[in-house]
Amino acid sequence: QQPVQSPQAVILREGEDAVINCSSSKALYSVHWYRQKHGEAPVFLMILLKGGEQKGHEKISASFNEKKQQSSLYLTASQLSYSGTYFCGTVGDNNAGNMLTFGGGTRLMVKP
Amino acid sequence: DGGITQSPKYLFRKEGQNVTLSCEQNLNHDAMYWYRQDPGQGLRLIYYSQIVNDFQKGDIAEGYSVSREKKESFPLTVTSAQKNPTAFYLCASSINSYNEQFFGPGTRLTVL
């Protein structure tokens, strides 16, 4: 079942912060975050594992609430280069063979 | 340089014709995937393969076929049975189904 992302779209001014949420109805083993620029392939940002620590690098970080089956991506002091569509992907927490299932995406536009 | 390649970048096809999209990786990854992306939408899984000579249907396999005769290669055939094949096709690979996926640049297929 596809995870649900919110908001569907967000517009920011350079330097502002944003939070993108990803919610699943099933127990999760991991959550992946990707960013896709228009016309290009998605690029991996980070992965959060069940029982793992909050991940992050530079001004992009993420958290994973296992009990609520939710993850949030935090973009602080946004830059123009952050523009794109952000996808979360989830892997279920049951037998092996679960595939990554992507959410519908959140379109982020950062303006000068 | 290790990576994943797809060819061609753009492909035009007449209705009723089969067409094969190429995907090659030199990352020594066991798992490979094919996704379809329609404008403004997320990624939907067509087929995946976790090991050579084995593959499974994803969420939207009807009208598509694949083969995995070599670890490096996972070609996708879009058959005439696919009702609406015009889309952006992305190939990806990963060490296993739980790890991050690396995407190729994509093939944009247009049916005339």
Side-chain angles (χ1 to χ4, degrees):
Chain A
Q1 205 166 3
Q2 185 182 37
V4 177
Q5 289 185 233
S6 63
Q8 288 187 315
V10 59
I11 300 174
L12 299 174
R13 290 287 179 189
E14 209 172 359
E16 292 181 340
D17 301 341
V19 180
I20 299 172
N21 300 302
C22 176
S23 180
S24 175
S25 60
K26 61 181 182 181
L28 299 176
Y29 171 77
S30 66
V31 179
H32 301 213
W33 286 97
Y34 294 78
R35 177 171 60 208
Q36 184 179 31
K37 301 277 187 179
H38 183 69
E40 299 179 6
V43 173
F44 172 76
L45 294 175
M46 64 188 74
I47 184 172
L48 299 105
L49 302 176
K50 179 181 175 182
E53 297 178 354
Q54 181 168 335
K55 298 274 190 174
H57 61 91
E58 297 182 347
K59 297 173 183 175
I60 300 177
S61 62
S63 63
F64 179 21
N65 186 324
E66 298 162 31
K67 290 182 180 179
K68 293 185 177 181
Q69 290 100 247
Q70 292 175 347
S71 178
S72 294
L73 186 71
Y74 305 96
L75 305 161
T76 58
S78 59
Q79 305 168 13
L80 296 177
S81 61
Y82 286 5
S83 293
T85 301
Y86 290 78
F87 292 99
C88 71
T90 57
V91 179
D93 184 21
N94 47 30
N95 295 332
N98 276 317
M99 287 299 110
L100 189 65
T101 303
F102 286 94
T106 296
R107 290 164 191 74
L108 177 73
M109 181 183 293
V110 181
K111 293 186 173 182
Chain B
D1 263 341
I4 181 166
T5 58
Q6 292 184 242
S7 61
K9 188 173 182 179
Y10 298 96
L11 188 58
F12 298 89
R13 185 196 96 176
K14 291 183 180 179
E15 277 192 42
Q17 288 181 337
N18 292 356
V19 63
T20 298
L21 282 58
S22 168
C23 177
E24 304 277 333
Q25 55 99 359
N26 61 4
L27 300 167
N28 201 31
H29 285 170
D30 284 318
M32 296 187 75
Y33 315 84
W34 274 105
Y35 293 94
R36 170 181 171 140
Q37 187 175 36
D38 292 288
Q41 303 297 313
L43 298 128
R44 293 186 290 169
L45 184 64
I46 305 172
Y47 268 98
Y48 64 96
S49 168
Q50 294 179 292
I51 198 167
V52 176
N53 292 323
D54 187 45
F55 49 83
Q56 284 80 40
K57 293 181 179 179
D59 299 321
I60 56 165
E62 185 176 350
Y64 300 98
S65 65
V66 294
S67 63
R68 186 87 188 275
E69 297 175 1
K70 298 186 300 182
K71 188 175 186 177
E72 307 80 32
S73 179
F74 192 41
L76 173 75
T77 297
V78 184
T79 75
S80 55
Q82 169 50 233
K83 300 283 186 234
N84 184 19
T86 294
F88 187 43
Y89 290 88
L90 287 157
C91 179
S93 71
S94 62
I95 294 172
N96 57 47
S97 61
Y98 290 92
N99 281 75
E100 63 267 30
Q101 295 185 11
F102 296 86
F103 286 83
T107 292
R108 197 167 296 278
L109 174 64
T110 302
V111 174
L112 304 172

Coordinates of all heavy atoms in Angstrom, one line a residue, chain A residues 10-97:
Chain A
V10 N 4.8 22.7 -1.9 CA 5.1 23.8 -1.0 C 6.0 24.8 -1.7 O 6.9 24.4 -2.5 CB 5.8 23.3 0.3 CG1 7.0 22.5 0.0 CG2 6.0 24.4 1.3
I11 N 5.8 26.1 -1.5 CA 6.6 27.1 -2.1 C 7.3 27.9 -0.9 O 6.7 28.3 0.0 CB 5.8 28.1 -2.9 CG1 5.1 27.4 -4.0 CG2 6.7 29.2 -3.5 CD1 4.2 28.2 -4.9
L12 N 8.6 28.0 -1.0 CA 9.4 28.7 0.0 C 10.2 29.8 -0.6 O 10.5 29.8 -1.8 CB 10.4 27.7 0.6 CG 9.9 26.4 1.3 CD1 11.1 25.6 1.7 CD2 9.1 26.8 2.6
R13 N 10.6 30.7 0.3 CA 11.6 31.7 0.0 C 13.0 31.1 0.4 O 13.0 30.4 1.4 CB 11.4 33.0 0.7 CG 10.2 33.8 0.2 CD 10.4 34.4 -1.2 NE 9.2 35.1 -1.7 CZ 9.1 35.6 -2.9 NH1 10.1 35.4 -3.8 NH2 8.1 36.2 -3.3
E14 N 14.0 31.5 -0.3 CA 15.3 31.0 0.1 C 15.6 31.4 1.6 O 15.3 32.4 2.0 CB 16.4 31.8 -0.8 CG 17.6 31.0 -1.0 CD 18.5 31.7 -2.1 OE1 18.1 32.8 -2.6 OE2 19.6 31.2 -2.3
G15 N 16.1 30.4 2.3 CA 16.4 30.6 3.7 C 15.3 30.1 4.7 O 15.5 30.0 5.9
E16 N 14.1 29.8 4.1 CA 13.0 29.3 5.0 C 13.2 27.8 5.2 O 13.9 27.1 4.5 CB 11.7 29.7 4.3 CG 11.4 31.2 4.3 CD 10.0 31.5 3.7 OE1 9.5 30.6 3.0 OE2 9.5 32.6 4.0
D17 N 12.4 27.3 6.2 CA 12.4 25.9 6.5 C 11.2 25.2 6.0 O 10.1 25.9 5.8 CB 12.5 25.7 8.0 CG 13.7 26.4 8.7 OD1 14.7 26.7 7.9 OD2 13.7 26.6 9.9
A18 N 11.3 23.9 5.8 CA 10.1 23.1 5.4 C 10.2 21.7 6.0 O 11.2 21.2 6.3 CB 10.1 23.0 3.8
V19 N 9.0 21.2 6.2 CA 8.9 19.8 6.7 C 8.0 19.0 5.7 O 6.9 19.5 5.4 CB 8.3 19.7 8.1 CG1 8.2 18.3 8.6 CG2 9.1 20.6 9.1
I20 N 8.4 17.9 5.3 CA 7.6 17.0 4.4 C 7.4 15.7 5.2 O 8.3 15.1 5.8 CB 8.4 16.7 3.1 CG1 8.6 18.0 2.4 CG2 7.6 15.7 2.3 CD1 9.5 17.8 1.2
N21 N 6.1 15.3 5.2 CA 5.7 14.1 6.0 C 5.4 12.9 5.1 O 4.9 13.1 4.0 CB 4.5 14.5 6.9 CG 4.8 15.6 7.8 OD1 5.7 15.5 8.7 ND2 4.1 16.7 7.7
C22 N 5.6 11.7 5.7 CA 5.3 10.5 5.0 C 4.7 9.5 6.0 O 5.2 9.3 7.1 CB 6.6 9.9 4.5 SG 6.5 8.3 3.7
S23 N 3.5 9.0 5.6 CA 2.7 8.2 6.6 C 2.3 6.9 5.9 O 1.9 6.9 4.8 CB 1.5 9.0 7.0 OG 0.8 8.2 7.9
S24 N 2.5 5.8 6.7 CA 2.1 4.5 6.2 C 1.1 3.9 7.1 O 1.0 4.1 8.3 CB 3.3 3.6 6.0 OG 3.0 2.3 5.7
S25 N 0.3 3.0 6.5 CA -0.8 2.2 7.3 C -0.2 0.9 7.8 O -0.9 0.2 8.5 CB -2.0 2.0 6.4 OG -1.7 1.2 5.3
K26 N 1.0 0.5 7.4 CA 1.6 -0.7 7.8 C 2.8 -0.5 8.6 O 3.5 0.5 8.5 CB 1.9 -1.6 6.6 CG 2.9 -1.0 5.6 CD 3.1 -1.9 4.4 CE 4.2 -1.3 3.5 NZ 4.4 -2.2 2.3
A27 N 3.2 -1.6 9.4 CA 4.4 -1.5 10.1 C 5.6 -1.4 9.2 O 5.6 -2.1 8.2 CB 4.6 -2.7 11.0
L28 N 6.6 -0.6 9.5 CA 7.7 -0.3 8.6 C 9.0 -0.8 9.1 O 9.3 -0.8 10.3 CB 7.8 1.1 8.3 CG 6.6 1.8 7.7 CD1 6.8 3.3 7.5 CD2 6.3 1.2 6.3
Y29 N 9.8 -1.3 8.2 CA 11.2 -1.7 8.5 C 12.1 -0.5 8.2 O 13.1 -0.2 8.9 CB 11.7 -2.9 7.7 CG 13.1 -3.1 7.8 CD1 13.7 -3.8 8.9 CD2 14.0 -2.8 6.7 CE1 15.0 -4.0 9.0 CE2 15.4 -3.0 6.8 CZ 15.9 -3.7 8.0 OH 17.2 -3.9 8.1
S30 N 11.8 0.2 7.1 CA 12.7 1.4 6.8 C 11.9 2.4 5.9 O 10.9 2.1 5.3 CB 13.9 0.9 6.0 OG 13.5 0.4 4.7
V31 N 12.4 3.6 5.9 CA 11.9 4.7 5.1 C 13.1 5.3 4.3 O 14.1 5.5 4.9 CB 11.3 5.8 6.0 CG1 10.7 6.9 5.0 CG2 10.1 5.2 6.8
H32 N 12.9 5.4 3.0 CA 13.9 6.1 2.2 C 13.4 7.4 1.7 O 12.1 7.6 1.5 CB 14.1 5.2 0.9 CG 14.5 3.8 1.1 ND1 15.4 3.2 0.2 CD2 14.3 2.9 2.1 CE1 15.6 1.9 0.7 NE2 15.0 1.8 1.8
W33 N 14.3 8.3 1.5 CA 13.9 9.7 0.9 C 14.8 9.9 -0.3 O 16.0 9.7 -0.3 CB 14.2 10.8 1.9 CG 13.1 10.8 3.0 CD1 13.2 10.3 4.3 CD2 11.8 11.4 2.9 NE1 12.0 10.5 5.0 CE2 11.2 11.2 4.2 CE3 11.1 12.1 1.9 CZ2 9.9 11.7 4.4 CZ3 9.9 12.6 2.2 CH2 9.3 12.4 3.4
Y34 N 14.1 10.4 -1.4 CA 14.7 10.7 -2.7 C 14.3 12.1 -3.1 O 13.2 12.5 -2.8 CB 14.3 9.7 -3.7 CG 14.8 8.3 -3.5 CD1 14.2 7.4 -2.6 CD2 15.9 7.8 -4.2 CE1 14.6 6.2 -2.4 CE2 16.4 6.5 -3.9 CZ 15.7 5.7 -3.0 OH 16.2 4.4 -2.8
R35 N 15.1 12.7 -3.9 CA 14.8 14.0 -4.5 C 14.9 13.8 -6.0 O 15.9 13.3 -6.5 CB 15.6 15.1 -4.0 CG 15.3 16.5 -4.7 CD 16.1 17.6 -4.1 NE 17.5 17.5 -4.1 CZ 18.4 18.0 -3.2 NH1 17.9 18.7 -2.2 NH2 19.7 17.8 -3.4
Q36 N 13.9 14.4 -6.8 CA 14.0 14.3 -8.2 C 13.8 15.7 -8.8 O 12.8 16.4 -8.5 CB 12.8 13.4 -8.8 CG 12.8 13.2 -10.3 CD 11.7 12.3 -10.7 OE1 10.7 12.2 -10.1 NE2 12.0 11.5 -11.8
K37 N 14.8 16.1 -9.6 CA 14.7 17.3 -10.4 C 13.9 17.0 -11.6 O 13.9 15.9 -12.1 CB 16.1 17.8 -10.8 CG 17.0 18.1 -9.6 CD 16.8 19.4 -8.9 CE 17.8 19.7 -7.9 NZ 17.6 21.0 -7.3
H38 N 13.3 18.1 -12.2 CA 12.4 17.9 -13.4 C 13.2 17.2 -14.5 O 14.2 17.7 -14.9 CB 11.9 19.3 -13.8 CG 10.9 19.2 -14.9 ND1 9.7 18.6 -14.8 CD2 11.1 19.6 -16.2 CE1 9.1 18.7 -16.0 NE2 9.9 19.2 -16.8
G39 N 12.6 16.1 -15.0 CA 13.2 15.5 -16.2 C 14.4 14.6 -15.9 O 15.0 14.0 -16.8
E40 N 14.7 14.5 -14.6 CA 15.9 13.7 -14.2 C 15.5 12.5 -13.4 O 14.3 12.3 -13.0 CB 16.9 14.6 -13.4 CG 17.4 15.7 -14.2 CD 18.4 16.6 -13.4 OE1 18.7 16.2 -12.3 OE2 18.8 17.6 -13.9
A41 N 16.5 11.7 -13.1 CA 16.2 10.5 -12.2 C 16.2 10.9 -10.8 O 16.8 11.9 -10.4 CB 17.3 9.4 -12.5
P42 N 15.5 10.2 -9.9 CA 15.5 10.4 -8.5 C 16.9 10.2 -7.9 O 17.6 9.3 -8.4 CB 14.5 9.4 -7.9 CG 13.6 9.0 -9.1 CD 14.5 9.1 -10.3
V43 N 17.3 10.9 -6.9 CA 18.6 10.8 -6.3 C 18.4 10.5 -4.8 O 17.6 11.1 -4.1 CB 19.4 12.1 -6.4 CG1 20.7 12.0 -5.6 CG2 19.7 12.3 -7.9
F44 N 19.0 9.5 -4.3 CA 18.9 9.0 -2.9 C 19.4 10.1 -2.0 O 20.5 10.6 -2.2 CB 19.7 7.7 -2.8 CG 19.8 7.2 -1.4 CD1 18.7 6.6 -0.7 CD2 20.9 7.4 -0.6 CE1 18.8 6.2 0.6 CE2 21.0 6.9 0.7 CZ 20.0 6.3 1.3
L45 N 18.6 10.4 -0.9 CA 19.0 11.3 0.1 C 19.5 10.6 1.4 O 20.6 10.8 1.9 CB 17.9 12.3 0.4 CG 17.5 13.2 -0.7 CD1 16.2 14.0 -0.3 CD2 18.6 14.2 -1.1
M46 N 18.6 9.8 1.9 CA 18.9 9.0 3.1 C 17.9 7.9 3.4 O 16.8 7.9 2.8 CB 18.9 10.0 4.3 CG 17.6 10.6 4.7 SD 17.8 11.9 5.9 CE 18.5 13.2 5.0
I47 N 18.3 7.0 4.3 CA 17.5 5.9 4.6 C 17.4 5.9 6.2 O 18.4 6.1 6.8 CB 18.1 4.6 4.1 CG1 17.2 3.4 4.4 CG2 19.5 4.3 4.6 CD1 17.6 2.1 3.7
L48 N 16.2 5.6 6.7 CA 16.1 5.5 8.1 C 15.6 4.1 8.4 O 14.6 3.6 7.8 CB 15.0 6.5 8.6 CG 15.5 7.9 8.4 CD1 14.7 8.5 7.2 CD2 15.3 8.8 9.6
L49 N 16.3 3.4 9.3 CA 15.9 2.0 9.6 C 15.2 1.9 11.0 O 15.5 2.7 11.9 CB 17.2 1.2 9.7 CG 18.0 1.1 8.4 CD1 19.3 0.3 8.7 CD2 17.3 0.5 7.3
K50 N 14.4 0.9 11.1 CA 13.7 0.7 12.4 C 14.7 0.5 13.5 O 15.7 -0.2 13.3 CB 12.9 -0.6 12.2 CG 12.1 -1.0 13.5 CD 11.4 -2.3 13.2 CE 10.7 -2.8 14.5 NZ 10.0 -4.1 14.2
G51 N 14.5 1.2 14.5 CA 15.5 1.2 15.7 C 16.7 2.0 15.5 O 17.6 2.0 16.3
G52 N 16.8 2.7 14.3 CA 18.0 3.5 14.0 C 17.9 4.9 14.5 O 16.9 5.3 15.1
E53 N 19.0 5.6 14.3 CA 19.0 7.0 14.8 C 18.5 8.0 13.7 O 18.4 7.6 12.5 CB 20.4 7.4 15.1 CG 21.0 6.6 16.3 CD 22.4 7.0 16.6 OE1 23.0 7.8 15.8 OE2 23.0 6.5 17.5
Q54 N 18.2 9.1 14.1 CA 17.8 10.2 13.2 C 19.0 10.4 12.3 O 20.1 10.5 12.7 CB 17.4 11.4 13.9 CG 16.9 12.6 13.0 CD 16.3 13.7 13.7 OE1 15.7 13.5 14.8 NE2 16.3 14.9 13.2
K55 N 18.7 10.6 11.0 CA 19.8 10.8 10.0 C 19.8 12.2 9.5 O 18.8 12.9 9.6 CB 19.5 9.9 8.8 CG 19.6 8.4 9.0 CD 21.0 7.9 9.0 CE 21.0 6.4 9.1 NZ 22.3 5.8 8.9
G56 N 20.9 12.6 9.0 CA 20.9 13.9 8.4 C 22.3 14.3 7.9 O 23.3 13.7 8.3
H57 N 22.3 15.2 7.0 CA 23.6 15.8 6.6 C 23.4 17.2 6.1 O 22.3 17.5 5.6 CB 24.2 15.0 5.4 CG 23.4 14.9 4.2 ND1 23.5 15.8 3.2 CD2 22.5 14.0 3.8 CE1 22.7 15.5 2.2 NE2 22.0 14.4 2.6
E58 N 24.3 18.1 6.5 CA 24.2 19.5 6.2 C 22.8 20.0 6.7 O 22.5 19.8 7.9 CB 24.3 19.8 4.7 CG 25.7 19.4 4.2 CD 25.9 19.7 2.7 OE1 24.9 19.9 2.0 OE2 27.1 19.6 2.3
K59 N 22.0 20.5 5.9 CA 20.8 21.1 6.4 C 19.5 20.3 6.1 O 18.4 20.8 6.1 CB 20.6 22.5 5.8 CG 21.7 23.4 6.2 CD 21.7 24.8 5.5 CE 22.9 25.6 5.9 NZ 22.9 26.9 5.1
I60 N 19.7 19.0 5.7 CA 18.6 18.1 5.4 C 18.7 17.0 6.4 O 19.7 16.3 6.5 CB 18.6 17.6 4.0 CG1 18.6 18.8 3.0 CG2 17.5 16.6 3.7 CD1 18.6 18.4 1.5
S61 N 17.6 16.8 7.2 CA 17.6 15.7 8.1 C 16.3 15.0 8.1 O 15.3 15.5 7.5 CB 17.9 16.2 9.5 OG 17.0 17.1 10.0
A62 N 16.1 13.9 8.8 CA 14.9 13.2 8.8 C 14.7 12.4 10.1 O 15.7 12.0 10.7 CB 14.8 12.2 7.6
S63 N 13.5 12.1 10.4 CA 13.2 11.3 11.6 C 12.2 10.2 11.2 O 11.5 10.2 10.2 CB 12.5 12.2 12.7 OG 11.3 12.7 12.2
F64 N 12.1 9.2 12.1 CA 11.3 8.0 11.8 C 10.6 7.6 13.1 O 11.3 7.2 14.0 CB 12.2 6.9 11.2 CG 11.5 5.6 10.9 CD1 10.1 5.5 10.7 CD2 12.2 4.4 10.8 CE1 9.4 4.3 10.4 CE2 11.5 3.2 10.5 CZ 10.2 3.2 10.4
N65 N 9.3 7.8 13.1 CA 8.5 7.3 14.3 C 7.9 6.0 14.0 O 6.9 5.9 13.3 CB 7.4 8.4 14.6 CG 6.7 8.1 15.9 OD1 6.4 6.9 16.2 ND2 6.3 9.1 16.6
E66 N 8.5 4.9 14.6 CA 8.1 3.6 14.2 C 6.7 3.3 14.7 O 6.0 2.5 14.1 CB 9.1 2.6 14.9 CG 10.5 2.7 14.3 CD 11.5 2.1 15.3 OE1 11.2 1.1 15.9 OE2 12.7 2.5 15.3
K67 N 6.4 3.8 15.9 CA 5.1 3.5 16.5 C 3.9 4.1 15.6 O 2.9 3.5 15.5 CB 5.0 4.1 17.9 CG 5.9 3.3 18.9 CD 5.7 3.9 20.3 CE 6.6 3.1 21.3 NZ 6.5 3.6 22.6
K68 N 4.2 5.2 15.0 CA 3.2 5.9 14.2 C 3.3 5.6 12.7 O 2.5 6.0 11.9 CB 3.2 7.4 14.4 CG 2.8 7.8 15.8 CD 2.7 9.4 15.9 CE 2.3 9.8 17.3 NZ 2.2 11.3 17.4
Q69 N 4.4 4.8 12.4 CA 4.7 4.5 11.0 C 4.8 5.8 10.1 O 4.2 5.9 9.1 CB 3.6 3.6 10.3 CG 3.6 2.2 10.8 CD 2.5 1.9 11.8 OE1 2.9 1.7 13.0 NE2 1.3 2.0 11.4
Q70 N 5.5 6.8 10.7 CA 5.6 8.1 10.0 C 7.1 8.5 10.0 O 7.9 8.2 10.9 CB 4.8 9.1 10.8 CG 3.3 8.9 10.7 CD 2.6 10.0 11.6 OE1 3.2 10.6 12.4 NE2 1.3 10.1 11.4
S71 N 7.4 9.2 8.9 CA 8.7 9.8 8.8 C 8.5 11.3 8.4 O 7.6 11.6 7.6 CB 9.5 9.1 7.8 OG 10.8 9.7 7.6
S72 N 9.5 12.1 8.8 CA 9.4 13.5 8.4 C 10.8 13.9 7.8 O 11.8 13.5 8.4 CB 9.1 14.4 9.5 OG 7.7 14.2 9.9
L73 N 10.8 14.7 6.8 CA 12.0 15.2 6.2 C 12.1 16.7 6.5 O 11.1 17.4 6.3 CB 12.1 15.0 4.7 CG 13.3 15.4 3.9 CD1 14.5 14.4 4.3 CD2 13.1 15.4 2.4
Y74 N 13.2 17.1 7.1 CA 13.4 18.5 7.5 C 14.4 19.2 6.6 O 15.5 18.8 6.5 CB 13.8 18.6 9.0 CG 13.0 17.8 9.9 CD1 13.3 16.5 10.3 CD2 11.8 18.4 10.5 CE1 12.5 15.8 11.2 CE2 11.0 17.7 11.3 CZ 11.3 16.4 11.7 OH 10.5 15.7 12.5
L75 N 14.0 20.3 6.0 CA 14.8 21.1 5.2 C 15.0 22.5 5.8 O 14.0 23.2 6.0 CB 14.2 21.3 3.8 CG 13.9 20.0 3.0 CD1 12.9 20.2 1.9 CD2 15.2 19.4 2.5
T76 N 16.2 22.8 6.3 CA 16.4 24.0 7.0 C 17.2 25.0 6.2 O 18.1 24.6 5.4 CB 17.1 23.8 8.4 OG1 18.4 23.1 8.1 CG2 16.3 22.9 9.3
A77 N 16.9 26.3 6.3 CA 17.6 27.3 5.6 C 17.7 26.9 4.1 O 18.8 26.8 3.5 CB 19.0 27.6 6.2
S78 N 16.5 26.7 3.5 CA 16.5 26.2 2.1 C 17.3 27.0 1.1 O 17.3 28.2 1.2 CB 15.0 26.0 1.7 OG 14.4 27.3 1.7
Q79 N 17.8 26.3 0.2 CA 18.6 26.9 -0.9 C 17.8 26.6 -2.2 O 17.0 25.7 -2.3 CB 20.0 26.2 -1.0 CG 20.7 26.3 0.3 CD 22.0 25.4 0.3 OE1 22.4 24.9 -0.8 NE2 22.5 25.2 1.5
L80 N 18.2 27.4 -3.2 CA 17.5 27.2 -4.6 C 17.7 25.8 -5.1 O 16.8 25.3 -5.7 CB 18.1 28.2 -5.6 CG 17.9 29.7 -5.3 CD1 18.6 30.6 -6.3 CD2 16.4 30.0 -5.2
S81 N 18.8 25.2 -4.8 CA 19.1 23.9 -5.3 C 18.2 22.8 -4.6 O 18.2 21.6 -5.1 CB 20.5 23.5 -5.0 OG 20.8 23.5 -3.6
Y82 N 17.4 23.2 -3.6 CA 16.6 22.2 -2.9 C 15.3 22.0 -3.7 O 14.5 21.0 -3.5 CB 16.2 22.7 -1.5 CG 17.3 22.6 -0.5 CD1 18.6 22.1 -0.8 CD2 17.0 22.9 0.8 CE1 19.6 22.1 0.1 CE2 18.0 22.8 1.8 CZ 19.3 22.4 1.4 OH 20.3 22.3 2.4
S83 N 15.0 22.8 -4.7 CA 13.8 22.7 -5.5 C 13.7 21.3 -6.2 O 14.8 20.8 -6.7 CB 13.7 23.8 -6.6 OG 13.5 25.0 -5.9
G84 N 12.6 20.7 -6.3 CA 12.4 19.4 -6.9 C 11.2 18.7 -6.2 O 10.5 19.3 -5.4
T85 N 11.0 17.5 -6.6 CA 10.0 16.7 -6.0 C 10.6 15.6 -5.1 O 11.6 14.9 -5.5 CB 9.2 15.9 -7.1 OG1 8.6 16.9 -7.9 CG2 8.1 15.1 -6.4
Y86 N 10.1 15.6 -3.9 CA 10.7 14.7 -2.8 C 9.7 13.5 -2.7 O 8.5 13.7 -2.5 CB 10.8 15.4 -1.5 CG 11.9 16.4 -1.5 CD1 11.7 17.7 -2.1 CD2 13.1 16.2 -1.0 CE1 12.8 18.6 -2.2 CE2 14.2 17.1 -1.0 CZ 14.0 18.3 -1.6 OH 15.0 19.2 -1.7
F87 N 10.3 12.3 -2.8 CA 9.6 11.1 -2.6 C 10.0 10.3 -1.4 O 11.3 10.2 -1.2 CB 9.8 10.2 -3.8 CG 9.1 10.7 -5.1 CD1 9.9 11.3 -6.0 CD2 7.8 10.5 -5.3 CE1 9.4 11.8 -7.2 CE2 7.2 11.0 -6.5 CZ 8.0 11.6 -7.5
C88 N 9.1 9.8 -0.6 CA 9.5 8.9 0.4 C 9.2 7.5 -0.2 O 8.3 7.3 -1.0 CB 8.8 9.1 1.7 SG 7.0 8.7 1.7
G89 N 9.9 6.5 0.3 CA 9.7 5.1 -0.1 C 9.7 4.3 1.2 O 10.5 4.5 2.1
T90 N 8.8 3.3 1.3 CA 8.7 2.5 2.6 C 8.9 1.1 2.3 O 8.5 0.6 1.2 CB 7.4 2.8 3.3 OG1 6.3 2.4 2.4 CG2 7.2 4.2 3.7
V91 N 9.5 0.4 3.2 CA 9.7 -1.1 3.1 C 9.0 -1.6 4.4 O 9.2 -1.2 5.5 CB 11.2 -1.5 3.1 CG1 11.3 -3.0 3.1 CG2 11.9 -0.9 1.9
G92 N 8.1 -2.6 4.2 CA 7.3 -3.1 5.2 C 8.1 -4.0 6.2 O 9.1 -4.6 5.8
D93 N 7.6 -4.1 7.4 CA 8.3 -4.9 8.4 C 7.7 -6.2 8.6 O 7.0 -6.5 9.6 CB 8.3 -4.1 9.7 CG 9.1 -4.8 10.8 OD1 10.0 -5.6 10.5 OD2 8.9 -4.5 12.0
N94 N 7.9 -7.1 7.6 CA 7.5 -8.5 7.8 C 8.4 -9.4 7.1 O 9.6 -9.1 7.1 CB 6.0 -8.7 7.3 CG 5.8 -8.1 6.0 OD1 6.6 -8.0 5.2 ND2 4.5 -7.6 5.8
N95 N 8.0 -10.4 6.4 CA 8.9 -11.4 5.7 C 9.7 -10.7 4.7 O 9.4 -9.7 4.1 CB 8.1 -12.5 5.1 CG 7.4 -13.3 6.1 OD1 7.8 -13.4 7.3 ND2 6.3 -13.9 5.7
A96 N 10.9 -11.3 4.4 CA 11.8 -10.8 3.4 C 11.1 -10.8 2.0 O 10.2 -11.6 1.8 CB 13.0 -11.7 3.3
G97 N 11.5 -10.0 1.2 CA 10.9 -9.8 -0.1 C 10.1 -8.6 -0.3 O 9.5 -8.4 -1.4

